[in-house]
Amino acid sequence: MTKEERALEIIERLKREYPDAGCTLDYNEAWKLLVSVRLAAQCTDARVNIVVEKLYEKYPDVASLAAADVDEIEKIVHPCGLGPSKARDISACMKILRDQYDGGIPETFEELLKLPGVGRKSANLIMGDVFGKPAIVTDTHCIRLVNRMGLVDGIKEPKKVEMALWKIIPPEEGSDFCHRLVYHGRDVCTARTKPHCEMCCVRDLCPRNGV
């Protein structure tokens, strides 16, 4: 079985297992996803979803958050860890959205990458979830699982994993595939405990099981 064939079969099985999988960060406006994805670095999505409620209660739009004192932002986002750097990035990012995009967000991958605190993973998430464009989000779950599943061979660097996956994942499937990997990585193919292979819908395809 080629990597392409394995990838297509895994995609179909994960679709059946997690038909409604989507982004686990809560947001109802594009700029809020930018804020949340920055806060999610080295923090759980569940905690981010709680923290941003307080942030948006005090600063309900791009303009108010852009005008906020960085120290005040830091006090609210501190529970997410790395508070000072995250607060600085959020403040700087919101100022750019206010001044250059009329409170909206950039619509190209290249422009998104120019925003403070936005890397390839974040830009791909925005492109896929906000704009419905082809995207591959190489978070820790994605990197761990695609290595275990034999879709990439011992590659740990996010950009290299992304480039390898672009070669075998149909563009229209990338975003949802990565969301489903998050669900599968949390519930079944776990990192901190022994993977629950007996529960895995792709166990017969997995090199861990001698395939």
Side-chain angles (χ1 to χ4, degrees):
M1 180 178 282
T2 66
K3 282 186 171 63
E4 291 86 349
E5 292 169 338
R6 186 189 301 270
L8 291 175
E9 182 61 28
I10 289 173
I11 286 170
E12 290 307 311
R13 294 195 192 183
L14 291 180
K15 279 184 182 179
R16 295 194 293 269
E17 193 75 8
Y18 310 100
D20 302 317
C23 183
T24 52
L25 291 168
D26 295 338
Y27 70 98
N28 57 9
E29 295 179 75
W31 68 271
K32 292 181 178 179
L33 183 55
L34 269 176
V35 172
S36 289
V37 75
R38 180 64 186 97
L39 293 177
Q42 299 184 38
C43 181
T44 66
D45 290 358
R47 175 169 290 183
V48 170
N49 289 337
I50 294 172
V51 169
V52 292
E53 288 185 11
K54 299 177 182 178
L55 185 67
Y56 302 147
E57 183 178 331
K58 189 169 184 179
Y59 308 110
D61 50 41
V62 170
S64 59
L65 190 51
D69 187 280
V70 174
D71 290 340
E72 293 301 311
I73 298 174
E74 197 278 329
K75 288 177 183 177
I76 298 174
V77 304
H78 177 75
C80 294
L82 305 175
S85 63
K86 290 180 178 180
R88 286 194 301 270
D89 284 343
I90 289 170
S91 177
C93 185
M94 293 303 107
K95 285 180 170 63
I96 292 173
L97 298 189
R98 178 195 63 192
D99 299 340
Q100 299 182 26
Y101 296 96
D102 195 29
I105 68 169
E107 297 184 11
T108 70
F109 190 79
E110 291 72 24
E111 287 179 294
L112 285 167
L113 286 179
K114 294 177 182 178
L115 296 176
V118 176
R120 296 188 66 86
K121 181 183 75 173
S122 301
N124 269 298
L125 182 65
I126 297 291
M127 293 304 294
D129 279 47
V130 174
F131 299 117
K133 301 294 185 181
I136 289 179
V137 182
T138 51
D139 64 3
T140 55
H141 291 294
C142 174
I143 294 170
R144 182 176 76 256
L145 267 63
V146 297
N147 272 281
R148 286 179 176 177
M149 293 172 174
L151 299 183
V152 302
D153 300 314
I155 306 174
K156 304 298 184 182
E157 184 181 326
K159 184 177 180 180
K160 290 182 178 179
V161 172
E162 179 192 336
M163 295 300 107
L165 291 178
W166 278 121
K167 297 177 182 178
I168 61 173
I169 304 294
E172 68 276 9
E173 299 286 359
S175 182
D176 288 341
F177 173 63
C178 292
H179 285 321
R180 293 186 174 103
L181 289 178
V182 171
Y183 281 71
H184 197 63
R186 289 177 177 175
D187 297 339
V188 179
C189 199
T190 52
R192 296 183 180 180
T193 64
K194 184 179 178 181
H196 304 292
C197 296
E198 73 283 356
M199 299 167 52
C200 182
C201 62
V202 297
R203 60 186 176 274
D204 59 309
L205 299 173
C206 185
R208 288 177 63 93
N209 294 311
V211 178

